[in-house]
């Protein structure tokens, strides 16, 4: 991080791990068909092969499959049974099947997917809802990350850890097993999800479900939202179907059950929305980038509907001349609202900056970084997308800000800065003359 001695880089790098896999549905593609597509479909031919086995051979195949994958997943037999039931309409004309036959058939329509084999990046951090047993002055946190696997499909995964009173950070070792949630309710594209409450947070993966999410759930910006004494964790994220994008909203109160809902309004057709952590003058407030260049401030009486808003920030300095965006939800300080930003300059070089907004009237900018606070180090500019640093949300811990950020879309790390040092930088930048 050149020219930013007030930031302290933590000796932690979170990298993609191809060992971590989830079990996903698999449906064989159809080739040329004979005249009767039901009896001669590939699915039915596969089922016929299983049914042609003797009971002893079926039991052997099942035992070998369970033994081969048992140390990689929980409740495999239950997964096989559930998948066999999902596929049952495709082979309904077959005779009654034994329990072992159903499990083998279910296994034939599943596969492992390495959900973070390609990249693990664009982190967002919030306080963990459970601080039981945490030492005084320490804070347990949840870190969300964008994981990218085969086919460039993005999903949402989590890590946990503790920030000590001195600002040092430790990350819990993630579980090797990873699990997908159960869909407990669906109304159109509004989805309710539930994980086993006994699963570890690092096991939980939210993978695309709807057609609008088919190619990715991207760049979740989490925030703890306080309203009438109740805290709900929200995250705005980008749903990508391979062609079009839209913004959606995730909500949870326990990180075991989640609701995913599409957002409405003009702003929802763009990406990079960031919700304020509380209402302002009785209304919800959001930072958005509707025009792919500038940041807007939007107010709404409806958490799910966001219009155009008003211009808040435009590119001002060379390192952000191409465009600016937010790096997560604003953080409330005594001095105002701290908003981390990213700027894109020549050669599509990304850097992280910040602004300070008036606490009562966030449309007023009262502090701004003239120079980047975080940039790619020369030794780390290479990666999945070179010359990029990016964050989806920082956290205040005592007198420090903890900023997780991704480097070149290859790995994620952390930096910390004292609040008084950062505020001084922003106010000095606002006092300096603007370049002609």
């Amino acid at each position: 991080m050149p020219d930013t001695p007030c930031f302290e880089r933590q000796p932690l790098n979170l990298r993609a791990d191809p060992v971590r896999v989830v079990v996903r549905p698999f449906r064989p593609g159809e080739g040329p068909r004979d005249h009767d597509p039901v009896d001669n479909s590939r699915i039915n031919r596969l089922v016929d092969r299983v049914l042609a086995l003797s009971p002893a051979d079926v039991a052997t195949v099942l035992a070998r499959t369970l033994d081969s994958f048992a140390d990689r997943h929980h409740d495999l037999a239950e997964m096989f049974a559930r998948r066999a039931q999902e596929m049952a309409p495709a082979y309904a004309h077959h005779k009654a099947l034994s329990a072992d036959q159903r499990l083998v058939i279910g296994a034939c329509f599943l596969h492992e997917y390495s959900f973070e084999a390609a990249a693990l990046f664009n982190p967002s951090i919030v306080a963990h809802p459970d601080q039981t047993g945490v030492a005084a002055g320490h804070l347990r946190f949840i870190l969300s990350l964008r994981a990218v696997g085969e086919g460039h499909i993005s999903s949402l995964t989590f890590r946990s850890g503790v920030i000590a009173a001195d600002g040092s950070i430790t990350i819990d070792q993630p579980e090797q097993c990873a699990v997908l949630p159960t869909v407990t309710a669906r109304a159109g594209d509004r989805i309710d999800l539930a994980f086993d409450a006994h699963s570890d947070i690092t096991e939980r993966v939210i993978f695309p479900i709807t057609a609008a999410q088919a190619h990715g759930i991207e760049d979740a910006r989490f925030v703890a939202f306080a309203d009438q004494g109740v805290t709900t964790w929200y995250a705005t994220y980008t749903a990508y179907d391979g062609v079009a994008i839209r913004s959606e909203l995730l909500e949870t109160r326990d990180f075991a059950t989640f609701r995913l809902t599409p957002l409405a309004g003009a702003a929802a057709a763009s990406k990079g929305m960031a919700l304020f952590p509380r209402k302002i003058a009785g209304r919800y407030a959001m930072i958005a980038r509707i025009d792919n260049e500038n940041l807007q401030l939007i107010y709404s009486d409806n958490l799910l509907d966001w219009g155009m808003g008003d211009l808040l920030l435009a590119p001002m300095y060379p390192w952000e001349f191409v465009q600016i965006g937010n790096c997560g939800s604003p953080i409330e300080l005594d001095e105002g609202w701290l908003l981390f930003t990213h700027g894109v300059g020549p050669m599509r070089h990304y850097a992280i900056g910040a602004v300070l907004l008036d606490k009562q009237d966030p449309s007023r900018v009262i502090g701004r970084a003239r120079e980047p606070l975080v940039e790619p180090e020369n030794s780390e500019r290479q990666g999945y997308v070179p010359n990029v640093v990016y964050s989806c949300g920082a956290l205040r811990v005592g007198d420090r800000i903890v900023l997780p950020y991704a480097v070149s879309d290859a790995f994620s790390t952390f930096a910390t800065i004292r609040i008084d040092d950062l505020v001084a930088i922003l106010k000095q930048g606002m006092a300096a003359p603007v370049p002609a």
Side-chain angles (χ1 to χ4, degrees):
M1 295 176 295
D3 303 320
T4 55
C6 53
F7 261 103
E8 181 179 354
R9 169 88 172 257
Q10 296 288 311
L12 288 172
N13 291 334
L14 302 180
R15 296 184 181 274
D17 183 0
V19 172
R20 305 193 73 221
V21 293
V22 292
V23 175
R24 294 278 301 146
F26 167 72
R27 188 183 181 102
E30 293 289 351
R33 299 179 178 181
D34 294 331
H35 179 70
D36 188 337
V38 175
D39 290 338
N40 293 285
S41 71
R42 189 174 174 189
I43 290 172
N44 279 274
R45 289 195 298 273
L46 193 161
V47 173
D48 285 341
R49 293 179 189 122
V50 175
L51 298 184
L53 295 173
S54 68
D57 286 341
V58 171
T60 297
V61 172
L62 177 60
R64 287 177 177 173
T65 305
L66 290 171
D67 182 65
S68 178
F69 292 91
D71 63 338
R72 299 164 67 89
H73 305 284
H74 302 305
D75 304 319
L76 265 180
E78 181 181 334
M79 291 184 190
F80 294 170
R82 186 164 58 246
R83 184 56 176 156
Q85 181 63 34
E86 292 170 352
M87 294 299 296
Y91 55 86
H93 66 288
H94 281 280
K95 64 182 182 181
L97 307 180
S98 71
D100 283 359
Q101 287 173 330
R102 288 184 180 278
L103 293 182
V104 172
I105 289 170
C108 288
F109 295 112
L110 292 169
H111 71 133
E112 285 190 331
Y113 179 85
S114 184
F115 62 93
E116 61 175 60
L120 188 68
F121 59 116
N122 293 4
S124 174
I125 187 171
V126 290
H128 198 296
D130 182 5
Q131 297 292 321
T132 304
V134 178
H138 291 48
L139 183 82
R140 180 179 292 126
F141 64 85
I142 291 175
L143 188 78
S144 69
L145 296 127
R146 177 178 167 185
V148 176
E150 178 186 353
H152 195 79
I153 297 175
S154 298
S155 57
L156 180 60
T157 187
F158 301 96
R159 297 290 189 273
S160 59
V162 173
I163 303 166
D166 64 359
S168 61
I169 299 170
T170 56
I171 298 289
D172 300 326
Q173 181 67 27
E175 297 289 334
Q176 179 178 335
C177 290
V179 296
L180 299 176
T182 300
V183 177
T184 57
R186 180 167 185 172
D189 278 357
R190 190 188 74 186
I191 308 291
D192 288 351
L193 305 175
F195 289 92
D196 183 341
H198 299 292
S199 63
D200 188 78
I201 183 66
T202 64
E203 294 180 281
R204 301 169 190 169
V205 179
I206 299 179
F207 201 82
I209 297 172
T210 68
Q213 302 166 352
H215 278 254
I217 292 175
E218 303 178 351
D219 302 342
R221 288 160 161 81
F222 273 85
V223 63
F225 188 90
D227 189 21
Q228 299 180 355
V230 176
T231 299
T232 302
W233 283 263
Y234 291 111
T236 50
Y237 62 90
T238 302
Y240 177 51
D241 68 3
V243 177
I245 62 168
R246 74 181 184 194
S247 286
E248 298 187 350
L249 184 73
L250 175 153
E251 63 179 288
T252 183
R253 290 187 180 175
D254 56 9
F255 284 87
T257 57
F258 298 84
R259 170 167 288 180
L260 281 60
T261 308
L263 293 178
S270 300
K271 60 170 63 178
M273 302 178 73
L275 183 68
F276 278 73
R278 63 172 174 83
K279 291 181 179 178
I280 298 176
R283 306 182 75 195
Y284 297 104
M286 186 83 77
I287 303 293
R289 189 179 67 197
I290 300 171
D291 58 7
N292 294 320
E293 182 181 359
N294 308 292
L295 285 177
Q296 287 81 28
L297 172 63
I298 312 172
Y299 289 99
S300 178
D301 296 318
N302 183 342
L303 184 58
L304 301 178
D305 196 336
W306 297 90
M308 293 297 290
D310 298 312
L311 178 66
L312 176 66
L313 291 169
M316 182 179 292
Y317 303 110
W319 59 274
E320 59 186 11
F321 271 178
V322 176
Q323 66 189 47
I324 58 174
N326 70 70
C327 280
S329 292
I331 300 169
E332 188 167 9
L333 307 178
D334 293 340
E335 296 84 354
W337 293 104
L338 171 65
L339 176 67
F340 283 100
T341 64
H342 64 262
V344 183
M347 291 294 291
R348 201 169 177 263
H349 178 280
Y350 275 69
I352 295 175
V355 297
L356 193 65
L357 308 178
D358 184 83
K359 204 166 191 177
Q360 304 303 319
D361 180 9
S363 67
R364 293 184 57 240
V365 179
I366 59 175
R368 185 166 184 168
R370 291 175 56 86
E371 299 293 337
L373 301 174
V374 180
E375 296 185 80
E377 295 187 4
N378 286 335
S379 62
E380 297 174 339
R381 292 172 59 185
Q382 296 74 29
Y384 198 52
V385 180
N387 304 308
V388 172
V389 288
Y390 196 95
S391 178
C392 287
L395 179 66
R396 177 179 185 172
V397 183
D399 62 355
R400 292 180 175 86
I401 296 294
V402 176
L403 174 70
Y405 64 96
V407 180
S408 298
D409 284 14
F411 66 92
S412 295
T413 187
F414 296 82
T416 60
I417 184 171
R418 290 192 175 275
I419 292 173
D420 53 358
D421 291 337
L422 179 54
V423 169
I425 291 171
L426 301 183
K427 289 187 174 180
Q428 289 169 5
M430 199 68 179
V434 176

